[in-house]
Amino acid sequence: MNEVDDAVLEFFEAQDEGVALPPTVVWYNLHDLLEVIDKSRDTVARRMRKLTERELLEKVSEERGYYQLTHKGRRYLSGDIEPEELRTDSDG
């Protein structure tokens, strides 16, 4: 987990429950409008895939690449799940 992960999850949490968004829209809002991150769109897309591996986001449209915040993602943001509990095999 890193600052981009947290910014993405917090952005989803701030939206209406159940909203689904593609990485480009998330990046545009976090980078251009809110100026919360200084990372590329590709970095945001890659981190959103990692968040999906950790089951914090769910890809709800393979065809269009839309994601939603999961219940587990909300639990992480509320502090019920520690970052150490979210490690995957690809984390090394």
Side-chain angles (χ1 to χ4, degrees):
M1 299 297 290
N2 62 35
E3 69 278 356
V4 173
D5 297 342
D6 289 337
V8 166
L9 292 172
E10 289 167 3
F11 178 73
F12 270 96
E13 184 181 44
Q15 309 312 305
D16 289 334
E17 187 158 341
V19 70
L21 301 167
T24 300
V25 171
V26 175
W27 171 80
Y28 176 77
N29 280 278
L30 293 176
H31 183 270
D32 289 1
L33 293 180
L34 301 172
E35 299 179 351
V36 175
I37 61 170
D38 64 352
K39 305 296 184 188
S40 71
R41 190 205 66 81
D42 289 339
T43 297
V44 170
R46 187 172 49 255
R47 296 314 303 171
M48 287 176 70
R49 286 190 298 274
K50 284 287 190 187
L51 292 168
T52 300
E53 289 175 18
R54 291 179 170 93
E55 300 176 341
L56 301 174
L57 290 180
E58 175 185 14
K59 194 168 192 180
V60 295
S61 172
E62 273 306 317
E63 182 179 312
R64 296 189 176 152
Y66 279 66
Y67 294 79
Q68 285 181 320
L69 184 63
T70 64
H71 178 67
K72 185 175 180 179
R74 291 184 191 287
R75 289 182 49 229
Y76 167 75
L77 289 169
S78 70
D80 292 342
I81 298 173
E82 295 297 323
E84 301 80 41
E85 297 176 58
L86 300 172
R87 295 186 59 82
T88 64
D89 292 339
S90 64
D91 290 334

